[in-house]
Amino acid sequence: MFRGAGDSEFAFELLVSRWAELAWHPADGDRPVVVARQLGTRERRWDTVVLEVDPDALAARRAFGERTLDSDLLRVVRGAPADYRWYRDALEDPGFPWRYVREAVHRAAGRDLLEKRRGANGRIEFRRLRHYPDWVERVVAIENKPDLDASAAAALSDQLRHDVESGLADEVWVATAATGDRVSPALLEDIPVEVGVIEFDFSDGVHAGAGEVVWHPTALDADGDPRTRLLLAERAYGKGWRSFRETMRPDCRHFELRREGRALVPYCAAKERVPTAAECKGRCPEFSPEPPQWRTNGWPIEGGPGKGIRALLERRRERERQRAVEHE
């Protein structure tokens, strides 16, 4: 796959996600995107999610901040009136106690998503600060399976069929690692015909030409629950694909970032490979906290290497968001 990765599906997933930022769409030309990993519903979790976005609308979404808007916040932000009104008059009955809506109004005001005041009889009134935009154009799901053989294709069949029929995705792909041989037609028979297949050669790291389309997908009727699609999009926006900075231990002295072409991936100097997110925890037998002196006196980065790695990954996520906004 690439040096140090071994057979790690986690490493492959990171590389595919970075490639999607650089070179999406694989068949129809460059499109502005937001990319995330490991998102889904209770029924299905997707390895990689690509949101094709409208640049102007994404810029308007960014005015609401960089954090995810959960379902309660979306309800009050999208329903906020232009002029002050009592929240019960402004919004439809949610089907659950109104006190939870009132709490969401308070939270939204605390994040400067809307304005609130106490009106007549102490009632909480609110109004919008800005319009919440329709910023997502298409939702694309990618299943990452670097070792796609006949048994893996058969095992994925039901999951992919669910992806096609759920109405949440506009397009579904399987990403696999190139082996030098053509993908067997017999293998493709176990994959729903609507699902695209793309092969990746990451032997030289991530670059725009690392992927080759083997089978083109069918455009799907994304007629599922639009609220669920929007919640997925919001989680993708807030989480991104570099979220391993929050679930792994960059504050371990063995944790490094290694460049693989145009990608930065986590690397464990103790294991001499890319660790999985499950391995890179405080209970890892090789875990060794940064010495206190690394986090003092500004050496080599104020707060220490772990804090510097988190800041670097956050800057890269911010840069890609801005690139999507400025896309022409």
PDB file of all heavy atoms in Angstrom, residues 12-34:
ATOM      1  N   PHE A  12      -5.334   3.049   4.798  1.00  0.00           N
ATOM      2  CA  PHE A  12      -5.913   3.176   3.465  1.00  0.00           C
ATOM      3  C   PHE A  12      -7.061   4.187   3.472  1.00  0.00           C
ATOM      4  O   PHE A  12      -7.193   5.017   2.572  1.00  0.00           O
ATOM      5  CB  PHE A  12      -6.403   1.810   2.995  1.00  0.00           C
ATOM      6  CG  PHE A  12      -6.922   1.784   1.585  1.00  0.00           C
ATOM      7  CD1 PHE A  12      -6.059   1.803   0.504  1.00  0.00           C
ATOM      8  CD2 PHE A  12      -8.288   1.736   1.344  1.00  0.00           C
ATOM      9  CE1 PHE A  12      -6.545   1.772  -0.800  1.00  0.00           C
ATOM     10  CE2 PHE A  12      -8.783   1.709   0.054  1.00  0.00           C
ATOM     11  CZ  PHE A  12      -7.903   1.725  -1.026  1.00  0.00           C
ATOM     12  N   GLU A  13      -7.859   4.134   4.512  1.00  0.00           N
ATOM     13  CA  GLU A  13      -8.988   5.053   4.646  1.00  0.00           C
ATOM     14  C   GLU A  13      -8.509   6.498   4.709  1.00  0.00           C
ATOM     15  O   GLU A  13      -9.111   7.399   4.105  1.00  0.00           O
ATOM     16  CB  GLU A  13      -9.761   4.691   5.910  1.00  0.00           C
ATOM     17  CG  GLU A  13     -11.010   5.502   6.177  1.00  0.00           C
ATOM     18  CD  GLU A  13     -11.728   4.967   7.396  1.00  0.00           C
ATOM     19  OE1 GLU A  13     -12.271   3.845   7.337  1.00  0.00           O
ATOM     20  OE2 GLU A  13     -11.723   5.676   8.421  1.00  0.00           O
ATOM     21  N   LEU A  14      -7.440   6.757   5.441  1.00  0.00           N
ATOM     22  CA  LEU A  14      -6.900   8.111   5.526  1.00  0.00           C
ATOM     23  C   LEU A  14      -6.409   8.600   4.169  1.00  0.00           C
ATOM     24  O   LEU A  14      -6.621   9.755   3.789  1.00  0.00           O
ATOM     25  CB  LEU A  14      -5.754   8.158   6.540  1.00  0.00           C
ATOM     26  CG  LEU A  14      -6.092   7.842   7.993  1.00  0.00           C
ATOM     27  CD1 LEU A  14      -4.844   7.986   8.858  1.00  0.00           C
ATOM     28  CD2 LEU A  14      -7.209   8.729   8.521  1.00  0.00           C
ATOM     29  N   LEU A  15      -5.750   7.707   3.430  1.00  0.00           N
ATOM     30  CA  LEU A  15      -5.217   8.100   2.129  1.00  0.00           C
ATOM     31  C   LEU A  15      -6.341   8.362   1.129  1.00  0.00           C
ATOM     32  O   LEU A  15      -6.270   9.317   0.344  1.00  0.00           O
ATOM     33  CB  LEU A  15      -4.276   7.024   1.606  1.00  0.00           C
ATOM     34  CG  LEU A  15      -3.037   6.738   2.464  1.00  0.00           C
ATOM     35  CD1 LEU A  15      -2.116   5.760   1.751  1.00  0.00           C
ATOM     36  CD2 LEU A  15      -2.283   8.006   2.796  1.00  0.00           C
ATOM     37  N   VAL A  16      -7.370   7.532   1.146  1.00  0.00           N
ATOM     38  CA  VAL A  16      -8.507   7.749   0.249  1.00  0.00           C
ATOM     39  C   VAL A  16      -9.184   9.078   0.578  1.00  0.00           C
ATOM     40  O   VAL A  16      -9.561   9.842  -0.330  1.00  0.00           O
ATOM     41  CB  VAL A  16      -9.506   6.586   0.355  1.00  0.00           C
ATOM     42  CG1 VAL A  16     -10.812   6.925  -0.372  1.00  0.00           C
ATOM     43  CG2 VAL A  16      -8.914   5.307  -0.215  1.00  0.00           C
ATOM     44  N   SER A  17      -9.332   9.379   1.852  1.00  0.00           N
ATOM     45  CA  SER A  17      -9.981  10.622   2.246  1.00  0.00           C
ATOM     46  C   SER A  17      -9.175  11.833   1.786  1.00  0.00           C
ATOM     47  O   SER A  17      -9.746  12.814   1.285  1.00  0.00           O
ATOM     48  CB  SER A  17     -10.168  10.654   3.772  1.00  0.00           C
ATOM     49  OG  SER A  17     -11.003   9.594   4.206  1.00  0.00           O
ATOM     50  N   ARG A  18      -7.868  11.777   1.927  1.00  0.00           N
ATOM     51  CA  ARG A  18      -7.034  12.883   1.466  1.00  0.00           C
ATOM     52  C   ARG A  18      -7.081  12.994  -0.054  1.00  0.00           C
ATOM     53  O   ARG A  18      -7.155  14.107  -0.601  1.00  0.00           O
ATOM     54  CB  ARG A  18      -5.591  12.687   1.934  1.00  0.00           C
ATOM     55  CG  ARG A  18      -4.616  13.731   1.415  1.00  0.00           C
ATOM     56  CD  ARG A  18      -5.020  15.123   1.834  1.00  0.00           C
ATOM     57  NE  ARG A  18      -4.062  16.123   1.385  1.00  0.00           N
ATOM     58  CZ  ARG A  18      -4.383  17.342   0.966  1.00  0.00           C
ATOM     59  NH1 ARG A  18      -5.655  17.726   0.939  1.00  0.00           N
ATOM     60  NH2 ARG A  18      -3.462  18.195   0.591  1.00  0.00           N
ATOM     61  N   TRP A  19      -7.060  11.854  -0.754  1.00  0.00           N
ATOM     62  CA  TRP A  19      -7.155  11.889  -2.208  1.00  0.00           C
ATOM     63  C   TRP A  19      -8.455  12.555  -2.648  1.00  0.00           C
ATOM     64  O   TRP A  19      -8.480  13.330  -3.606  1.00  0.00           O
ATOM     65  CB  TRP A  19      -7.076  10.471  -2.774  1.00  0.00           C
ATOM     66  CG  TRP A  19      -7.300  10.422  -4.251  1.00  0.00           C
ATOM     67  CD1 TRP A  19      -6.390  10.588  -5.242  1.00  0.00           C
ATOM     68  CD2 TRP A  19      -8.571  10.229  -4.893  1.00  0.00           C
ATOM     69  NE1 TRP A  19      -7.000  10.502  -6.470  1.00  0.00           N
ATOM     70  CE2 TRP A  19      -8.327  10.289  -6.286  1.00  0.00           C
ATOM     71  CE3 TRP A  19      -9.859  10.013  -4.437  1.00  0.00           C
ATOM     72  CZ2 TRP A  19      -9.362  10.133  -7.223  1.00  0.00           C
ATOM     73  CZ3 TRP A  19     -10.886   9.871  -5.350  1.00  0.00           C
ATOM     74  CH2 TRP A  19     -10.629   9.925  -6.731  1.00  0.00           C
ATOM     75  N   ALA A  20      -9.556  12.267  -1.946  1.00  0.00           N
ATOM     76  CA  ALA A  20     -10.842  12.855  -2.314  1.00  0.00           C
ATOM     77  C   ALA A  20     -10.807  14.375  -2.205  1.00  0.00           C
ATOM     78  O   ALA A  20     -11.426  15.077  -3.017  1.00  0.00           O
ATOM     79  CB  ALA A  20     -11.950  12.281  -1.431  1.00  0.00           C
ATOM     80  N   GLU A  21     -10.095  14.894  -1.227  1.00  0.00           N
ATOM     81  CA  GLU A  21      -9.947  16.345  -1.133  1.00  0.00           C
ATOM     82  C   GLU A  21      -9.223  16.915  -2.346  1.00  0.00           C
ATOM     83  O   GLU A  21      -9.545  18.002  -2.831  1.00  0.00           O
ATOM     84  CB  GLU A  21      -9.155  16.728   0.124  1.00  0.00           C
ATOM     85  CG  GLU A  21      -9.944  16.677   1.405  1.00  0.00           C
ATOM     86  CD  GLU A  21      -9.134  17.183   2.587  1.00  0.00           C
ATOM     87  OE1 GLU A  21      -7.881  17.150   2.536  1.00  0.00           O
ATOM     88  OE2 GLU A  21      -9.751  17.607   3.578  1.00  0.00           O
ATOM     89  N   LEU A  22      -8.255  16.172  -2.834  1.00  0.00           N
ATOM     90  CA  LEU A  22      -7.401  16.668  -3.922  1.00  0.00           C
ATOM     91  C   LEU A  22      -8.020  16.498  -5.299  1.00  0.00           C
ATOM     92  O   LEU A  22      -7.821  17.349  -6.176  1.00  0.00           O
ATOM     93  CB  LEU A  22      -6.054  15.936  -3.905  1.00  0.00           C
ATOM     94  CG  LEU A  22      -5.144  16.161  -2.710  1.00  0.00           C
ATOM     95  CD1 LEU A  22      -3.958  15.202  -2.791  1.00  0.00           C
ATOM     96  CD2 LEU A  22      -4.664  17.602  -2.681  1.00  0.00           C
ATOM     97  N   ALA A  23      -8.759  15.414  -5.522  1.00  0.00           N
ATOM     98  CA  ALA A  23      -9.051  15.028  -6.908  1.00  0.00           C
ATOM     99  C   ALA A  23     -10.492  14.611  -7.163  1.00  0.00           C
ATOM    100  O   ALA A  23     -10.758  13.929  -8.143  1.00  0.00           O
ATOM    101  CB  ALA A  23      -8.118  13.884  -7.312  1.00  0.00           C
ATOM    102  N   TRP A  24     -11.413  15.006  -6.292  1.00  0.00           N
ATOM    103  CA  TRP A  24     -12.792  14.616  -6.548  1.00  0.00           C
ATOM    104  C   TRP A  24     -13.405  15.549  -7.589  1.00  0.00           C
ATOM    105  O   TRP A  24     -13.201  16.731  -7.529  1.00  0.00           O
ATOM    106  CB  TRP A  24     -13.610  14.689  -5.245  1.00  0.00           C
ATOM    107  CG  TRP A  24     -14.925  13.993  -5.392  1.00  0.00           C
ATOM    108  CD1 TRP A  24     -16.133  14.551  -5.673  1.00  0.00           C
ATOM    109  CD2 TRP A  24     -15.135  12.578  -5.294  1.00  0.00           C
ATOM    110  NE1 TRP A  24     -17.087  13.583  -5.758  1.00  0.00           N
ATOM    111  CE2 TRP A  24     -16.500  12.363  -5.533  1.00  0.00           C
ATOM    112  CE3 TRP A  24     -14.299  11.490  -5.042  1.00  0.00           C
ATOM    113  CZ2 TRP A  24     -17.062  11.092  -5.518  1.00  0.00           C
ATOM    114  CZ3 TRP A  24     -14.841  10.240  -5.025  1.00  0.00           C
ATOM    115  CH2 TRP A  24     -16.216  10.045  -5.253  1.00  0.00           C
ATOM    116  N   HIS A  25     -14.066  15.032  -8.620  1.00  0.00           N
ATOM    117  CA  HIS A  25     -14.697  13.751  -8.816  1.00  0.00           C
ATOM    118  C   HIS A  25     -13.818  12.877  -9.722  1.00  0.00           C
ATOM    119  O   HIS A  25     -13.236  13.389 -10.682  1.00  0.00           O
ATOM    120  CB  HIS A  25     -16.080  13.960  -9.435  1.00  0.00           C
ATOM    121  CG  HIS A  25     -16.927  12.780  -9.602  1.00  0.00           C
ATOM    122  ND1 HIS A  25     -16.845  11.927 -10.681  1.00  0.00           N
ATOM    123  CD2 HIS A  25     -17.904  12.276  -8.819  1.00  0.00           C
ATOM    124  CE1 HIS A  25     -17.744  10.980 -10.577  1.00  0.00           C
ATOM    125  NE2 HIS A  25     -18.407  11.166  -9.457  1.00  0.00           N
ATOM    126  N   PRO A  26     -13.707  11.565  -9.506  1.00  0.00           N
ATOM    127  CA  PRO A  26     -12.780  10.742 -10.282  1.00  0.00           C
ATOM    128  C   PRO A  26     -13.138  10.595 -11.755  1.00  0.00           C
ATOM    129  O   PRO A  26     -12.273  10.237 -12.558  1.00  0.00           O
ATOM    130  CB  PRO A  26     -12.835   9.386  -9.570  1.00  0.00           C
ATOM    131  CG  PRO A  26     -14.149   9.378  -8.862  1.00  0.00           C
ATOM    132  CD  PRO A  26     -14.389  10.804  -8.453  1.00  0.00           C
ATOM    133  N   ALA A  27     -14.394  10.849 -12.113  1.00  0.00           N
ATOM    134  CA  ALA A  27     -14.807  10.650 -13.506  1.00  0.00           C
ATOM    135  C   ALA A  27     -15.317  11.921 -14.169  1.00  0.00           C
ATOM    136  O   ALA A  27     -15.239  12.053 -15.393  1.00  0.00           O
ATOM    137  CB  ALA A  27     -15.891   9.566 -13.578  1.00  0.00           C
ATOM    138  N   ASP A  28     -15.836  12.864 -13.397  1.00  0.00           N
ATOM    139  CA  ASP A  28     -16.543  14.005 -13.976  1.00  0.00           C
ATOM    140  C   ASP A  28     -15.887  15.349 -13.715  1.00  0.00           C
ATOM    141  O   ASP A  28     -16.538  16.391 -13.818  1.00  0.00           O
ATOM    142  CB  ASP A  28     -17.986  14.035 -13.453  1.00  0.00           C
ATOM    143  CG  ASP A  28     -18.766  12.803 -13.854  1.00  0.00           C
ATOM    144  OD1 ASP A  28     -18.465  12.246 -14.935  1.00  0.00           O
ATOM    145  OD2 ASP A  28     -19.652  12.382 -13.101  1.00  0.00           O
ATOM    146  N   GLY A  29     -14.622  15.368 -13.345  1.00  0.00           N
ATOM    147  CA  GLY A  29     -13.934  16.635 -13.198  1.00  0.00           C
ATOM    148  C   GLY A  29     -13.948  17.185 -11.781  1.00  0.00           C
ATOM    149  O   GLY A  29     -14.649  16.693 -10.896  1.00  0.00           O
ATOM    150  N   ASP A  30     -13.165  18.236 -11.571  1.00  0.00           N
ATOM    151  CA  ASP A  30     -12.938  18.797 -10.245  1.00  0.00           C
ATOM    152  C   ASP A  30     -14.201  19.426  -9.668  1.00  0.00           C
ATOM    153  O   ASP A  30     -14.888  20.186 -10.348  1.00  0.00           O
ATOM    154  CB  ASP A  30     -11.823  19.847 -10.347  1.00  0.00           C
ATOM    155  CG  ASP A  30     -11.337  20.298  -8.991  1.00  0.00           C
ATOM    156  OD1 ASP A  30     -11.414  19.513  -8.041  1.00  0.00           O
ATOM    157  OD2 ASP A  30     -10.893  21.465  -8.893  1.00  0.00           O
ATOM    158  N   ARG A  31     -14.501  19.091  -8.414  1.00  0.00           N
ATOM    159  CA  ARG A  31     -15.657  19.646  -7.720  1.00  0.00           C
ATOM    160  C   ARG A  31     -15.255  20.044  -6.307  1.00  0.00           C
ATOM    161  O   ARG A  31     -14.419  19.382  -5.687  1.00  0.00           O
ATOM    162  CB  ARG A  31     -16.791  18.619  -7.641  1.00  0.00           C
ATOM    163  CG  ARG A  31     -17.350  18.178  -8.989  1.00  0.00           C
ATOM    164  CD  ARG A  31     -18.426  17.130  -8.822  1.00  0.00           C
ATOM    165  NE  ARG A  31     -18.909  16.645 -10.113  1.00  0.00           N
ATOM    166  CZ  ARG A  31     -19.800  15.668 -10.250  1.00  0.00           C
ATOM    167  NH1 ARG A  31     -20.299  15.069  -9.189  1.00  0.00           N
ATOM    168  NH2 ARG A  31     -20.183  15.284 -11.455  1.00  0.00           N
ATOM    169  N   PRO A  32     -15.840  21.110  -5.759  1.00  0.00           N
ATOM    170  CA  PRO A  32     -15.538  21.488  -4.370  1.00  0.00           C
ATOM    171  C   PRO A  32     -16.193  20.501  -3.404  1.00  0.00           C
ATOM    172  O   PRO A  32     -17.373  20.132  -3.586  1.00  0.00           O
ATOM    173  CB  PRO A  32     -16.157  22.883  -4.242  1.00  0.00           C
ATOM    174  CG  PRO A  32     -17.247  22.909  -5.264  1.00  0.00           C
ATOM    175  CD  PRO A  32     -16.773  22.054  -6.407  1.00  0.00           C
ATOM    176  N   VAL A  33     -15.456  20.083  -2.389  1.00  0.00           N
ATOM    177  CA  VAL A  33     -15.957  19.045  -1.483  1.00  0.00           C
ATOM    178  C   VAL A  33     -15.556  19.315  -0.048  1.00  0.00           C
ATOM    179  O   VAL A  33     -14.611  20.053   0.240  1.00  0.00           O
ATOM    180  CB  VAL A  33     -15.427  17.645  -1.883  1.00  0.00           C
ATOM    181  CG1 VAL A  33     -15.927  17.239  -3.252  1.00  0.00           C
ATOM    182  CG2 VAL A  33     -13.898  17.598  -1.831  1.00  0.00           C
ATOM    183  N   VAL A  34     -16.293  18.679   0.844  1.00  0.00           N
ATOM    184  CA  VAL A  34     -15.933  18.508   2.249  1.00  0.00           C
ATOM    185  C   VAL A  34     -15.885  17.009   2.490  1.00  0.00           C
ATOM    186  O   VAL A  34     -16.818  16.291   2.114  1.00  0.00           O
ATOM    187  CB  VAL A  34     -16.951  19.179   3.185  1.00  0.00           C
ATOM    188  CG1 VAL A  34     -16.676  18.808   4.638  1.00  0.00           C
ATOM    189  CG2 VAL A  34     -16.925  20.692   3.021  1.00  0.00           C
TER     190      VAL A  34
END
